[in-house]
Amino acid sequence: MSLRYRRMAATWTVTVPILAVAVLALAWGRSIPPVVVVIAALFLASSVLAAVHHAEVIAHRVGEPFGSLVLAVAVTVIEVALILSLTVSGGPAAASLARDTVFAAVMITCNGIAGLSLLVAALRRRVAVFNAEGTGGALATVATLATLSLVLPTFTTSKTGPAFSPAQLAFASFASLALYGLFVLTQAVRHREYFVPVEPGGDAADGHAGAPTTRAATGSLALLLTALVAVVGLAKVESPAIEAAVRVASLPQAVVGVVIALLVLLPETLAAVRAARRARVQVSLNLAFGSAMASIGLTIPTIAAASLWVKGPLLLGLDATHIVLLGLTIVVATLTVVPGRATVLQGGVHLTLLAAFLLLAVSP
């Protein structure tokens, strides 16, 4: 890569997030014409690419699993803010938005990001190799959080509808935070070696040469947060157009949550695929399951706290179709993770499950 090209790339990834935030500031809270909607969409897509670049710079500096943890938590924190904002302003129609968005995030990460990463890695190297101990622990945590927060409310009887009673919601919130905190401690401190990339030969992958300086990494962290604010903020700006399109097409309201999840998970998806192309499948799976875990572990407690002053029901329980999809995803992911090796078949199976979820979201 030439010096001139590197300078152009650096300039682009610095300029785009700043301009995107400026566009966000101009469009926020206003009724915008179609041309501005298109411009906002272009800056949203550009901010996604810039976020991926800065996330990779940070990951290069701090190493795994901290790199994927930074991106997953940063995206999820801003995603939670978006869900909360839409829930507060959406009234009764947004009662199920948190559930729809969180479930969509789980399906996209566990089937879409994981499946695409396994497929890309296996196509390039025949077999995708990762650490079964760390990935298995992450999957177990995701399965527990998803079941406690999204399945149990459908079957509890203390409150009418697929919702928790106040005591049950408090327990689910505490359990979500506790399990997520315990996972972060395990991943980053006690058993970090379980989450480090593994080469096909079985040895931990070496980091790239020439790590960026602390100053460069700090700058990238600031620009990453700026880009993510732009991504999620512009996704909210685009949400009226999305909701209008959903109404015109006579699609279920849950499609709005799916589209929001697709938009905000774009940076992690691109970062995971680029890691898979370099045979760093563990990084991809850290992003996939870490994002699913953070989405549940941070969203449920936040929405639970918000429910103290936001009027209206908080619907968390999934319907029968989604419970089947979630159960099948957990079973298939378990069979994928246990060997520590995967082929294109496993990637294809996970992507098929994602396709089934998207189809049933549009045509339940």
Side-chain angles (χ1 to χ4, degrees):
M1 183 184 296
S2 67
L3 179 61
R4 180 182 178 185
Y5 180 84
R6 287 199 299 269
R7 286 176 176 172
M8 290 176 60
T11 302
W12 179 82
T13 55
V14 170
T15 304
V16 163
I18 296 172
L19 292 178
V21 169
V23 172
L24 174 61
L26 293 173
W28 187 264
R30 295 180 174 88
S31 179
I32 55 177
V35 64
V36 179
V37 172
V38 173
I39 293 173
L42 293 175
F43 273 102
L44 189 155
S46 301
S47 297
V48 167
L49 297 177
V52 172
H53 168 79
H54 293 298
E56 290 184 338
V57 171
I58 296 167
H60 194 178
R61 174 64 184 174
V62 301
E64 285 298 320
F66 299 105
S68 56
L69 183 63
V70 167
L71 179 57
V73 172
V75 169
T76 305
V77 167
I78 303 176
E79 176 190 354
V80 169
L82 173 62
I83 294 174
L84 183 60
S85 173
L86 293 175
T87 300
V88 171
S89 61
S96 62
L97 179 64
R99 175 197 65 191
D100 296 337
T101 306
V102 169
F103 180 63
V106 171
M107 296 301 290
I108 291 167
T109 53
C110 294
N111 288 316
I113 296 179
L116 188 59
S117 299
L118 293 175
L119 184 66
V120 168
L123 284 173
R124 290 179 67 86
R125 303 204 177 210
R126 294 185 62 83
V127 177
V129 181
F130 50 89
N131 202 322
E133 290 91 342
T135 308
L139 175 60
T141 310
V142 171
T144 302
L145 288 174
T147 303
L148 287 177
S149 301
L150 301 177
V151 176
L152 283 184
T154 302
F155 300 99
T156 54
T157 58
S158 298
K159 193 172 182 179
T160 304
F164 275 140
S165 69
Q168 292 166 344
L169 185 58
F171 171 78
S173 301
F174 175 78
S176 297
L177 284 174
L179 282 176
Y180 184 64
L182 184 60
F183 172 79
V184 171
L185 175 66
T186 302
Q187 183 188 43
V189 181
R190 293 187 63 86
H191 297 286
R192 181 182 174 186
E193 67 276 10
Y194 290 168
F195 300 91
V196 173
V198 174
E199 294 286 7
D203 299 324
D206 294 329
H208 301 297
T213 63
T214 301
R215 180 179 179 182
T218 303
S220 284
L221 177 60
L223 288 167
L224 170 63
L225 295 176
T226 303
L228 292 177
V229 167
V231 168
V232 182
L234 291 174
K236 179 173 171 57
V237 169
E238 297 285 312
S239 62
I242 295 170
E243 292 171 353
V246 166
R247 287 194 299 269
V248 169
S250 300
L251 296 175
Q253 185 67 23
V255 173
V256 176
V258 175
V259 174
I260 290 173
L262 286 169
L263 288 174
V264 299
L265 288 171
L266 270 176
E268 287 151 306
T269 303
L270 292 179
V273 170
R274 292 175 69 167
R277 286 175 58 86
R278 298 194 296 267
R280 296 169 65 83
V281 182
Q282 187 63 50
V283 175
S284 303
L285 297 181
N286 288 348
L287 282 167
F289 295 124
S291 298
M293 207 180 308
S295 184
I296 304 172
L298 298 179
T299 300
I300 299 302
T302 304
I303 297 299
S307 66
L308 297 175
W309 73 82
V310 177
K311 295 182 179 180
L314 176 59
L315 305 181
L316 292 176
L318 298 172
D319 59 27
T321 301
H322 288 162
I323 290 174
V324 170
L325 281 175
L326 178 61
L328 184 56
T329 295
I330 293 171
V331 171
V332 170
T334 301
L335 296 175
T336 297
V337 165
V338 167
R341 300 164 63 87
T343 66
V344 293
L345 175 61
Q346 283 91 342
V349 170
H350 281 284
L351 291 176
T352 301
L353 285 174
L354 175 65
F357 163 69
L358 295 176
L359 173 64
L360 292 171
V362 174
S363 180

